[in-house]
């Protein structure tokens, strides 16, 4: 079928080449707007997460399934948040980093507060598992995101050891983390940046096994492949 | 006596996962360029919506498939839906889109810019379906079958559109060359 196509003239080929190599970076307004919309959609997904399916998934210890179910199940909310965010200004990235520091100082060990519940038994029962209510889910996601943002900032600043420390902290801080996939993807990048390529490849192999449909697999694979 | 119940944690600002953002950000420019090449006048808004839809559908993204054509497919779907809703008739005499995008970069020669502008003028005169086929296959260098799958039409239909588009593009460039000589 292809051979029936009329070949393109040299002049057209030259024009096509010029068009292909002409890359225009998207303007800052669009980048900021998209980031704000995606952040809003992520927040909407997190807040609206505990649907029946999501809670069931949490109960059997499949935190990532919760997130995916939330994203799929809250399309309208997420879209609305996205459109709303379009009209808003993107919060400066530095704000997020400041908040990260605040959260890390205050939090870290065990998200639930069993002692408080034990001291005041008349209050609403609060079972031990970390993620139960939408508010708790939102709070945990926020804390997890904060640590991952620290790691990301460290990577941008070419400080892979700091990134790995933040990721290790994340690994220890949450009994049932919701952002394990994101953390491990960042870990692979941090190991690569630290020159620990063999470890990065080994981690990626585990990553592929655990999240065979991850959207970031392609970019990680290309980062791991030799130039 | 009123028991003071513990307040729920105030919602903290969330942000999209870092790696997803990195993957999306890298594709934002190509998606904008693709939409512009197809003839979308509001390429930036459509690109924005493309990534929002992609985010919502990320669970359906198949491993092993590159991200870009998946995004192109979403972008194309949104654009076509928009056209259908607006019942817009193609404005073949409309001015060139996105003039700003045609501005020469520092390392782009005048000749390259002239070629791109000539191509943009020719694309403007193509039928939308032919233009999309040409952009997809001959500019973006994506397989015909991929576009056919995205549009839900037979592969032969795309080849047919592409064949006509190529004839028109070749003819337009040849006519331009003759005009410059005379």
């Amino acid at each position: 079928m292809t051979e029936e196509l009329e070949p393109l003239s040299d002049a057209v080929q030259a024009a096509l080449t010029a068009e292909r190599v002409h890359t225009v970076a998207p303007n800052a307004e669009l980048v900021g707007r998209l980031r704000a919309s995606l952040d809003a959609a992520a927040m909407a997904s997190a807040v609206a997460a505990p649907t029946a399916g999501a809670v069931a998934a949490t109960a059997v210890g499949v935190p990532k399934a919760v997130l995916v179910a939330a994203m799929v199940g809250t399309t309208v909310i997420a879209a609305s948040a996205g459109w709303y965010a379009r009209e808003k200004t993107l919060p400066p990235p530095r704000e997020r980093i400041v908040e990260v520091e605040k959260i890390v100082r205050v939090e870290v060990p065990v998200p639930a507060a069993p002692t408080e519940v034990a001291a005041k038994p008349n209050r609403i029962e609060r079972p031990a598992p970390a993620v139960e209510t939408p508010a708790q889910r939102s709070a945990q996601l926020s804390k997890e995101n904060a640590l991952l943002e620290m790691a990301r900032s460290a990577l941008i600043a070419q400080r892979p050891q700091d990134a790995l420390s933040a990721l290790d902290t994340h690994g220890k801080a949450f009994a049932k983390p919701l952002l394990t996939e994101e953390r491990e993807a960042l870990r692979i990048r941090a190991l690569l940046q630290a020159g620990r390529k063999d470890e990065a490849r080994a981690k990626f192999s585990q990553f592929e096994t655990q999240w065979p449909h991850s959207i970031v697999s392609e970019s990680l694979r290309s980062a791991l492949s030799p130039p | 006596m009123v028991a003071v119940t513990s307040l729920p944690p105030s919602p903290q600002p969330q942000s999209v996962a870092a790696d997803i953002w990195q993957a999306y950000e890298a594709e934002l420019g190509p998606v904008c360029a693709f939409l512009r090449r197809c003839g979308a006048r509001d390429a930036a808004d459509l690109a924005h919506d493309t990534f929002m839809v992609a985010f919502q559908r990320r669970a359906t993204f198949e491993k092993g498939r590159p991200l870009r054509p998946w995004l192109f497919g979403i972008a194309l779907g949104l654009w076509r839906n928009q056209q259908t809703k607006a019942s817009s008739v193609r404005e073949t005499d409309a001015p060139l889109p996105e003039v700003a995008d045609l501005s020469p970069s520092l390392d782009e020669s005048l000749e390259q810019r002239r070629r791109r502008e000539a191509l943009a003028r020719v694309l403007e005169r193509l039928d939308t379906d032919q233009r999309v086929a040409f952009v997809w296959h001959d500019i973006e260098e994506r397989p015909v079958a991929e576009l056919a799958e995205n549009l839900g039409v037979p592969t032969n239909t795309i080849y047919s559109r592409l064949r006509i588009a190529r004839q028109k593009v070749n003819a337009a460039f040849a006519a331009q060359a003759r005009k410059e000589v005379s």
Side-chain angles (χ1 to χ4, degrees), chain A residues 2 6-7 9 19-20 22 33 35 37 39 68 86 99 123 126 138 142 145 149 152 182 189 212, chain B residues 4 6 12 14-19 21 36-37 45 48-49 59 63 101 138-139 159 166-167 170:
Chain A
T2 312
E6 177 176 321
S9 70
E19 177 63 30
R20 286 188 202 116
H22 178 71
R33 182 153 56 95
R35 180 65 198 248
S37 298
D39 285 351
V68 170
R86 173 180 290 193
E99 191 176 335
R123 289 192 184 170
R126 194 184 294 258
S138 176
S142 181
N145 256 324
E149 284 288 350
R152 188 181 178 225
E182 288 74 11
R189 291 192 184 282
Chain B
V4 180
S6 56
Q12 301 289 341
Q14 302 291 317
S15 58
V16 68
D19 256 58
W21 172 247
R36 176 179 57 77
R37 287 162 179 162
D45 282 348
H48 170 278
D49 295 348
K63 183 200 172 191
D101 277 5
D138 285 333
I139 299 182
Y159 272 115
R166 281 190 169 202
Q167 285 167 358
N170 273 338

Side-chain angles (χ1 to χ4, degrees), chain A residues 191-204:
Chain A
L191 288 169
L192 257 183
Q193 199 176 87
R196 295 155 63 179
K197 291 185 180 175
D198 289 344
E199 287 176 71
R201 288 198 182 94
K203 282 284 177 195
F204 180 63

Side-chain angles (χ1 to χ4, degrees), chain B:
Chain B
M1 188 168 143
V2 179
V4 180
T5 54
S6 56
L7 293 171
S10 57
Q12 301 289 341
Q14 302 291 317
S15 58
V16 68
D19 256 58
I20 291 180
W21 172 247
Q22 280 181 348
Y24 284 8
E25 192 177 23
E27 294 299 329
L28 187 53
V31 168
C32 283
F34 170 68
L35 284 163
R36 176 179 57 77
R37 287 162 179 162
C38 284
R41 312 258 159 200
D42 49 357
D45 282 348
L46 277 168
H48 170 278
D49 295 348
T50 297
F51 286 91
M52 293 307 294
V53 171
F55 182 74
Q56 288 154 22
R57 293 183 190 165
R58 68 184 280 263
T60 66
F61 182 73
E62 290 177 33
K63 183 200 172 191
R65 300 190 76 165
L67 184 57
R68 187 168 298 177
W70 184 61
L71 292 169
F72 281 6
I74 294 172
L76 198 53
L78 289 174
W79 179 53
R80 287 168 63 86
N81 283 343
Q82 187 189 66
Q83 286 189 309
T84 305
K85 279 179 191 167
S87 302
S88 60
V89 179
R90 259 192 61 72
E91 303 166 39
T92 48
D93 296 328
L96 287 174
E98 299 275 350
V99 174
D101 277 5
L102 296 176
S103 59
S105 56
L106 288 175
D107 55 353
E108 182 181 39
S109 73
L110 194 63
E111 180 59 19
Q112 279 180 312
R113 184 190 177 191
R114 195 188 62 77
R115 285 172 177 153
R116 284 194 305 104
E117 288 175 341
L119 180 63
R121 281 194 294 272
V122 173
L123 289 178
E124 275 295 291
R125 293 189 207 111
L126 291 180
D127 165 84
T128 300
D129 288 339
Q130 294 160 10
R131 178 174 183 164
V132 168
F134 187 83
V135 168
W136 189 279
H137 185 265
D138 285 333
I139 299 182
E140 304 292 352
E141 299 180 295
R142 308 295 322 167
V144 163
E146 213 172 56
L147 178 59
E149 187 186 339
N150 266 307
L151 297 180
V153 299
T155 307
N156 283 349
T157 303
I158 304 297
Y159 272 115
S160 174
R161 292 170 185 174
L162 184 58
R163 196 175 304 112
I164 297 168
R166 281 190 169 202
Q167 285 167 358
K168 288 182 178 175
V169 173
N170 273 338
F173 270 76
Q176 180 65 27
R178 283 194 299 273
K179 195 173 164 186
E180 285 172 5
V181 169
S182 62

Side-chain angles (χ1 to χ4, degrees), chain A residues 93-175:
Chain A
R94 290 294 155 202
E95 274 186 24
R96 281 199 293 276
I97 291 170
V98 169
E99 191 176 335
V100 167
E101 290 166 352
K102 183 180 71 182
I103 290 165
V104 169
R105 274 202 306 273
V106 176
E107 260 324 302
V108 177
V110 185
T115 51
E116 189 184 355
V117 173
K120 300 182 179 179
N122 288 337
R123 289 192 184 170
I124 299 167
E125 286 185 22
R126 194 184 294 258
V131 181
E132 281 295 323
T133 67
Q136 283 175 321
R137 171 177 303 282
S138 176
Q140 176 168 336
L141 270 171
S142 181
K143 290 162 197 163
E144 289 194 44
N145 256 324
L147 283 167
L148 297 188
E149 284 288 350
M150 282 183 76
R152 188 181 178 225
S153 299
L155 280 177
I156 291 169
Q158 300 289 310
R159 297 194 316 268
Q161 290 307 329
D162 289 348
L164 288 168
S165 295
L167 297 173
D168 287 343
T169 304
H170 178 276
K172 292 170 188 167
F174 302 97

